[in-house]
């Protein structure tokens, strides 16, 4: 969504094209529908020209989202792009493929589903919708229990780490649930299960654990969380469950770390979401949420409609959506199988480790990501008193690389990080090229005068003691204090840009 924040100049009101000028002699309005039609060739060329300025998805290492699929799957997606997934009576095979995917995922996550039973779950537009649905199920179950006990239901809360994705904040705000966040700390960038359980009270509808933190790729300790929460539930009489946000790690852990207990093998895990468009290897637009059993999804949240030709149960936030991504997910499941997914994830992890070692050898970076987790590399400058990760990210764009620089959430907000996500289409040769470009950028940046000293002069004292205008003597800031000041400056800068850009 784009919110206009400035007046539009007359020069910006029209689109001027180059190649399409042989078809169109006048400029096209940008913000109003044109009065007359134009040739299809011209419309195509106008849009194609503008899209040339977008980044290359393959070089967008900020995103977890799949950017390559096999041509055969592309063809299947295009052949089904005109099917409305919600019309189950008209497209029963598509519905059947979705149900097969749900059952495959449930078994992958060790759901207690019998041979003759059907798993409980649904395909969604992405993990954001999946989390909304899971959150609503927890909230309704908690409300029903409280009402039966004659207790108030007006102050539900969720306990999670400060490292959660923004969709959890959206859920909390949209559906009026307090979000109780376990703060991070320097050197520990995931939710501490001990602190999380301490925050649980009678109004907690669930504790949300992250399998694959967006910040560092690290898996949170769901097993310890389950054990601690089990003990607290027994002691207090609570019945607080766990939801696992496995958006990034759900298609990693079963293949690379099969012995890791994080899923439905743990009794308190009642629902899990996963993104098909991340390491599920499908283009953007598909997520999944599965529940342990039918009892964990309140029946009153499921709607039954018949105006499309037959009785159809539905539990989604949106209604109409395309069938292509569902079909693509099924293609990947039967095409790759367990062996194929395992090989791809292992290859991604090898490339991540190769890149991590290469960056570490440069001597200027500290690696923050862990060996076990999502295949990505998160790293920080050892010394950011003269230059910052934001400068590095900006310089790498010159070579086409899109690499995010960001500060950590509270209480580790003084740490500024770069992150490279390794996807299936990021080859070893691309990793080698990225390392080469990193070396070029660092050599150039280190030869430049400090941008920090110009922009954040108040945190770059150069003498042991400075006499202020008030006559007081101030001690020179330590390297750590200087770096913290720099991180605060860049965080404010990024926040200000978000406020003024008008984009959300």
């Amino acid at each position: 969504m784009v919110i206009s924040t400035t007046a539009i100049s007359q020069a910006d009101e029209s689109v001027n094209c180059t190649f399409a000028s042989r078809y169109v002699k006048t400029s096209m309005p940008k913000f109003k529908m044109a009065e007359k039609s134009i040739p299809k060739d011209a419309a195509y060329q106008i849009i194609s020209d503008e899209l040339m300025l977008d980044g290359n998805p393959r070089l967008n290492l900020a995103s977890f989202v799949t950017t390559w699929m096999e041509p055969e799957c592309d063809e299947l997606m295009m052949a089904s792009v005109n099917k409305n997934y919600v019309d189950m009576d008209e497209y029963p095979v598509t519905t059947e493929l979705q149900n097969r995917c749900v059952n495959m995922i449930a078994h992958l996550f060790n759901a207690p589903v019998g041979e003759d039973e059907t798993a409980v779950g649904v395909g969604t537009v992405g993990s954001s919708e999946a989390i909304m649905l899971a959150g609503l199920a927890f909230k309704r179950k908690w409300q029903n229990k409280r009402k039966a006990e004659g207790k108030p239901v007006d102050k539900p809360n969720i306990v999670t780490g400060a490292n959660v994705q923004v969709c959890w904040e959206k859920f909390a705000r949209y559906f009026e649930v307090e979000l109780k966040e376990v703060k991070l700390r320097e050197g520990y960038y995931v939710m501490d299960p001990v602190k999380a359980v301490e925050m649980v009270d009678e109004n907690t509808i669930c504790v949300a654990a992250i399998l694959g933190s967006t910040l560092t790729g690290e898996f949170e300790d769901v097993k310890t969380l389950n054990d601690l929460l089990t003990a607290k539930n027994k002691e207090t009489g609570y019945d607080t469950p766990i939801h696992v946000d496995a958006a990034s790690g759900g298609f990693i852990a079963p293949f690379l770390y099969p012995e890791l207990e994080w899923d439905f093998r743990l009794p308190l895990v009642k629902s899990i979401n996963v993104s098909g468009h991340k390491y599920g290897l499908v283009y953007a637009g598909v997520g999944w949420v599965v529940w342990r059993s039918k009892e964990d999804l309140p029946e009153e949240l499921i709607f039954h409609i018949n105006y499309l030709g037959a009785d159809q149960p539905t539990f989604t936030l949106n209604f109409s959506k395309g069938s292509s991504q569902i079909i693509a997910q099924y293609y990947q499941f039967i095409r790759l199988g367990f062996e194929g997914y395992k090989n791809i994830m292992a290859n991604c992890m090898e490339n991540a480790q190769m890149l991590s070692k290469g960056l570490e050898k440069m001597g200027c970076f500290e690696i923050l990501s862990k060996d076990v987790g999502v295949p990505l590399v998160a790293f920080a400058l050892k010394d950011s008193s003269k230059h910052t990760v934001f400068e590095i990210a900006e310089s790498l764009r010159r070579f086409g690389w899109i690499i995010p620089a960001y500060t950590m959430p509270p209480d580790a907000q003084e740490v500024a990080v770069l992150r490279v996500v390794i996807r299936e289409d990021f080859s070893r040769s691309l990793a080698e090229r990225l390392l080469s470009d990193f070396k070029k950028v660092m050599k150039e940046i280190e030869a430049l005068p400090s941008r920090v000293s110009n922009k954040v002069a108040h945190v770059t004292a150069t003498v042991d003691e400075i006499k202020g205008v008030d006559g007081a003597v101030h001690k020179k800031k330590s390297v750590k204090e200087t770096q913290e000041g720099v991180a605060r400056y860049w965080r404010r800068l990024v926040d200000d840009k978000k406020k003024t850009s008008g984009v959300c």
Side-chain angles (χ1 to χ4, degrees):
M1 178 176 67
V2 179
I3 304 173
S4 297
T5 56
T6 56
I8 301 170
S9 68
Q10 190 171 0
D12 291 335
E13 289 182 350
S14 59
V15 177
N16 294 299
C17 51
T18 303
F19 301 113
S21 59
R22 67 179 61 188
Y23 303 107
V24 182
K25 295 182 179 179
T26 58
S27 299
M28 303 297 298
K30 282 184 180 178
F31 306 107
K32 295 181 181 178
M33 188 177 290
E35 293 294 329
K36 296 182 179 180
S37 302
I38 62 173
K40 62 180 184 294
D41 316 69
Y44 172 85
Q45 194 63 58
I46 288 171
I47 298 171
S48 178
D49 288 351
E50 291 210 66
L51 289 175
M52 287 171 61
L53 299 176
D54 265 349
N56 183 338
R58 295 280 298 277
L59 301 183
N60 179 10
L61 305 183
S63 176
F64 292 81
V65 175
T66 297
T67 51
W68 179 86
M69 296 184 73
E70 291 175 321
E72 292 78 5
C73 193
D74 289 342
E75 289 182 25
L76 282 171
M77 293 184 73
M78 288 307 300
S80 59
V81 74
N82 59 350
K83 291 182 180 179
N84 188 354
Y85 161 76
V86 76
D87 197 342
M88 301 177 187
D89 189 54
E90 186 68 22
Y91 308 119
V93 175
T94 300
T95 302
E96 171 63 19
L97 297 187
Q98 186 235 212
N99 293 340
R100 292 179 190 176
C101 287
V102 167
N103 279 271
M104 289 180 183
I105 293 169
H107 285 290
L108 190 66
F109 295 166
N110 295 292
V113 180
E115 290 295 328
D116 299 326
E117 293 180 318
T118 301
V120 181
V122 67
T124 61
V125 174
S127 274
S128 291
E129 183 189 8
I131 284 168
M132 303 285 174
L133 298 177
L136 285 171
F138 283 120
K139 182 179 179 182
R140 183 55 58 89
K141 282 209 69 175
W142 174 82
Q143 288 175 327
N144 290 344
K145 181 183 177 183
R146 298 278 291 181
K147 288 177 181 177
E149 296 171 347
K151 297 178 180 178
V153 297
D154 58 331
K155 293 182 179 179
N157 69 67
I158 285 180
V159 174
T160 189
N163 56 311
V164 291
Q165 217 264 359
V166 70
C167 57
W168 283 99
E169 297 177 37
K170 287 183 177 181
F171 169 77
R173 190 177 303 179
Y174 294 167
F175 296 102
E176 298 182 321
V177 176
E178 180 190 1
L179 195 65
K180 298 171 69 172
E181 294 184 343
V182 178
K183 303 301 181 185
L184 310 184
R185 61 181 184 272
E186 189 172 344
Y188 194 91
Y189 304 115
V190 292
M191 179 180 70
D192 184 333
V194 175
K195 293 182 179 178
V197 173
E198 288 174 355
M199 285 186 169
V200 170
D201 58 31
E202 64 178 352
N203 293 320
T204 303
I205 64 174
C206 78
V207 179
I210 313 299
L211 193 79
S213 171
T214 301
L215 303 176
T216 62
E218 189 176 351
F219 293 164
E220 292 184 343
D221 190 348
V222 188
K223 175 68 165 60
T224 297
L225 176 65
N226 178 86
D227 294 345
L228 292 173
L229 193 53
T230 298
K232 181 157 187 173
N233 284 344
K234 185 176 181 180
E235 177 186 344
T236 61
Y238 300 161
D239 189 23
T240 308
I242 295 173
H243 174 84
V244 179
D245 179 355
S248 299
F251 285 122
I252 301 289
F255 305 106
L256 296 186
Y257 317 108
E259 302 305 317
L260 182 67
E261 293 184 53
W262 63 272
D263 53 18
F264 290 119
R265 285 170 288 183
L266 303 176
L268 290 184
V269 174
K270 303 299 182 181
S271 56
I272 301 172
N273 69 278
V274 64
S275 289
H277 59 224
K278 292 183 179 176
Y279 290 98
L281 307 180
V282 177
Y283 293 140
V286 62
W288 303 92
V289 56
V290 289
W291 284 269
R292 170 180 288 274
S293 65
K294 292 180 180 179
E295 289 71 30
D296 297 307
L297 176 57
E299 177 64 31
E300 62 264 36
L301 293 179
I302 302 173
F303 290 83
H304 294 265
I305 60 169
N306 63 9
Y307 51 78
L308 292 176
D311 179 69
Q312 299 172 7
T314 176
F315 180 41
T316 54
L317 293 182
N318 61 297
F319 197 57
S320 295
K321 65 179 176 182
S323 298
S324 298
Q325 273 75 11
I326 298 291
I327 292 168
Q329 185 73 84
Y330 185 67
Y331 171 90
Q332 294 289 48
F333 284 169
I334 66 169
R335 162 76 174 90
L336 296 171
F338 192 94
E339 178 189 36
Y341 269 92
K342 181 178 180 179
N343 290 340
I344 289 171
M345 301 313 154
N347 186 58
C348 288
M349 189 59 72
E350 287 176 9
N351 286 338
Q353 291 169 351
M354 174 265 184
L355 180 63
S356 177
K357 291 176 182 176
L359 290 167
E360 198 169 24
K361 283 181 181 179
M362 290 175 63
C364 53
F365 294 116
E366 176 189 1
I367 306 301
L368 303 181
S369 46
K370 306 296 184 182
D371 292 335
V372 175
V374 175
L376 62 79
V377 185
F379 51 105
L381 277 169
K382 290 181 178 178
D383 179 7
S384 57
S385 60
K386 293 182 179 179
H387 299 285
T388 70
V389 293
F390 302 94
E391 291 177 66
I392 298 172
E394 183 181 331
S395 296
L396 283 167
R397 282 181 175 265
R398 220 172 64 240
F399 297 94
W401 302 108
I402 302 172
I403 296 177
Y406 51 89
T407 52
M408 291 290 194
D411 285 335
Q413 63 266 33
E414 311 305 344
V415 180
V417 179
L418 288 162
R419 186 195 68 217
V420 176
V421 177
I422 308 300
R423 300 187 301 270
E424 180 188 6
D425 58 356
F426 187 78
S427 64
R428 179 62 62 93
S429 60
L430 281 177
E432 292 170 351
R433 170 57 60 185
L434 178 59
L435 279 173
S436 175
D437 291 340
F438 255 109
K439 292 174 183 177
K440 293 175 186 176
V441 165
M442 292 309 298
K443 185 176 180 180
E444 292 172 359
I445 285 179
E446 288 168 359
L448 294 173
S450 172
R451 289 175 61 181
V452 172
S453 61
N454 295 329
K455 294 185 176 182
V456 204
H458 65 283
V459 296
T460 54
T462 56
V463 294
D464 289 333
E465 291 186 339
I466 300 175
K467 193 169 185 177
V469 293
D470 57 353
V473 175
H474 305 277
K475 290 185 178 180
K476 176 183 174 181
K477 290 181 171 60
S478 66
V479 173
K480 178 177 174 59
E481 289 172 329
T482 299
Q483 292 179 6
E484 290 175 350
V486 171
R488 283 194 297 271
Y489 167 80
W490 283 103
R491 188 177 183 88
R492 287 198 302 271
L493 184 66
V494 172
D495 289 343
D496 289 343
K497 282 187 177 181
K498 287 180 180 178
K499 292 175 184 176
T500 58
S501 66
V503 178
C504 63

